[in-house]
Every structure is written in structure tokens, then in C-alpha cells.
Amino acid sequence: MANPFRGELQVSLGGETYKTRMTVDGCMQAETACGQSLVRIATKLSEGDLTVMEITSVLTPAFKGG
């Protein structure tokens, strides 16, 4: 079970549920992989304008943090 007080979220993919958590290191990895700030990544996400590569670059460290 995810603990929201620790910043954990549950993500369901392919019938499986995973616990995720963005750590500071994970945030830095996502920024480096996407070549832009987290604010820009979040804006693109809210606009539905992220590429699959960018989504993967954000989800991978989130899964590792969880």
C-alpha cells in the first residue's frame, strides 16, 4: 500500500499495481534524460504533449524509488 505522506503513489499498468515514489535523485535523472526542468515536464504532461521516451524517463526512476 502506498503511503501518501512519503510521496508514494500506486500506478496500475498491464493489470499490475506498482508503488512509485519520486526521490530527489529520480527527479534529477528525469530532468537529465528529458533535457528540461521538472516544471516543463509537468506542463507537457498536463497538456498531453510528452513523448513515450519522456514518459519512460519519468516512470523508470519513480518505479525504482518505490
Side-chain angles (χ1 to χ4, degrees):
M1 176 153 207
N3 181 349
F5 295 109
R6 290 188 50 181
E8 298 172 347
L9 296 173
Q10 287 186 326
V11 175
S12 296
L13 295 171
E16 297 285 329
T17 301
Y18 302 93
K19 181 171 61 172
T20 63
R21 181 172 178 244
M22 283 303 283
T23 62
V24 173
D25 182 55
C27 292
M28 292 181 348
Q29 288 177 19
E31 284 185 336
T32 301
C34 293
Q36 44 195 319
S37 71
L38 283 178
V39 174
R40 286 191 187 214
I41 295 169
T43 301
K44 287 177 73 173
L45 177 63
S46 70
E47 295 171 351
D49 195 31
L50 283 181
T51 65
V52 173
M53 183 60 109
E54 290 170 326
I55 293 169
T56 304
S57 298
V58 172
L59 286 178
T60 300
F63 286 134
K64 289 180 181 178

